[in-house]
Amino acid sequence: FRFDGSVPLSAIFELLVTKLMSLLRGFKVSFFIGSFSKIYMGKSVKIQHTKNIVFGDNVIIGDYAMLSALGKGPLSIGNNVSAGAFSRVIISTSYNNIGEFITIGDNVGFGEFAYLGGAGGLSIGKNTIIGQYFSAHPENHIFTNSKSLIRQQGVTRTGIMIGENCWIGSKVTILDGVTIGDNCVIAAGAVVNSSFPDNVVIGGVPAVTLKSI
């Protein structure tokens, strides 16, 4: 890309220094896992179960983000992926019933404070862009027995699949069992609890089809 003509040289220099420091931090991770991937690692990033992470090339992990790859399958991050600051990408939150996998395709970017869970499996297709405060939860608690504590009734897991070339606005929540087709747009603040085909605009609580593209 080309820098905007209004960007001062001081800002460009600051960006280059920041990128160099991020690349040096990422080099430590690449060396540890025996990868030649170029990783730009922000400040105070936390990574758990590194051996179960597959990094593509030119991956950017924002400041204070966390990656945790305890799962039956890997946490797979494609080429040119950008994860926003303070984001959480976590396959499992418990050790007694570990999750499935998370797959993030090439050229995917998601904003700050996103939460990507992988309990039932999460797949995000390539070239999908996602706003801040996004959350994906491929797991549901069972609550049908009123005489038992909800936390003791177990969970169900189906998985979430998000297609390619989607635009997902900020503060969108996608729940377990949902499949989103290719080339979809999801309006900011939507709660998606059902599946949608290709080429539609989705919005609302709960989300519905607003129009076709």
Side-chain angles (χ1 to χ4, degrees), residues 2-141:
R2 295 182 179 180
F3 285 103
D4 187 295
S6 300
V7 177
L9 288 176
S10 60
I12 295 175
F13 178 75
E14 182 180 357
L15 175 64
L16 292 175
V17 171
T18 301
K19 288 294 184 183
L20 178 59
M21 295 301 295
S22 297
L23 186 60
L24 291 174
R25 286 189 292 264
F27 177 75
K28 296 178 182 179
V29 176
S30 298
F31 179 79
F32 178 75
I33 64 176
S35 170
F36 294 99
S37 299
K38 187 161 68 258
I39 304 170
Y40 296 88
M41 197 73 63
K43 295 181 293 185
S44 301
V45 171
K46 186 175 183 179
I47 301 179
Q48 297 177 333
H49 314 289
T50 311
K51 293 294 187 180
N52 200 36
I53 302 178
V54 179
F55 283 101
D57 196 34
N58 196 37
V59 173
I60 300 172
I61 308 297
D63 295 343
Y64 306 101
M66 177 180 177
L67 308 178
S68 181
L70 177 65
K72 299 173 184 175
L75 166 52
S76 179
I77 302 173
N79 300 318
N80 309 311
V81 168
S82 177
F86 298 96
S87 293
R88 298 288 184 267
V89 183
I90 301 175
I91 297 179
S92 300
T93 57
S94 66
Y95 282 74
N96 66 330
N97 185 15
I98 66 173
E100 296 293 332
F101 65 88
I102 296 176
T103 300
I104 303 172
D106 295 343
N107 309 312
V108 168
F110 51 91
E112 295 84 355
F113 297 96
Y115 183 90
L116 278 62
L122 171 64
S123 177
I124 302 176
K126 62 184 181 180
N127 299 307
T128 287
I129 54 176
I130 302 171
Q132 297 89 343
Y133 296 95
F134 169 75
S135 60
H137 303 279
E139 179 180 79
N140 277 319
H141 286 274

Side-chain angles (χ1 to χ4, degrees), residues 129-166:
I129 54 176
I130 302 171
Q132 297 89 343
Y133 296 95
F134 169 75
S135 60
H137 303 279
E139 179 180 79
N140 277 319
H141 286 274
I142 299 170
F143 56 90
T144 52
N145 185 355
S146 62
K147 297 181 180 180
S148 177
L149 296 174
I150 292 175
R151 65 182 176 84
Q152 296 177 341
Q153 294 185 48
V155 297
T156 61
R157 296 171 173 175
T158 302
I160 294 172
M161 295 183 63
I162 300 171
E164 300 179 2
N165 189 40
C166 293

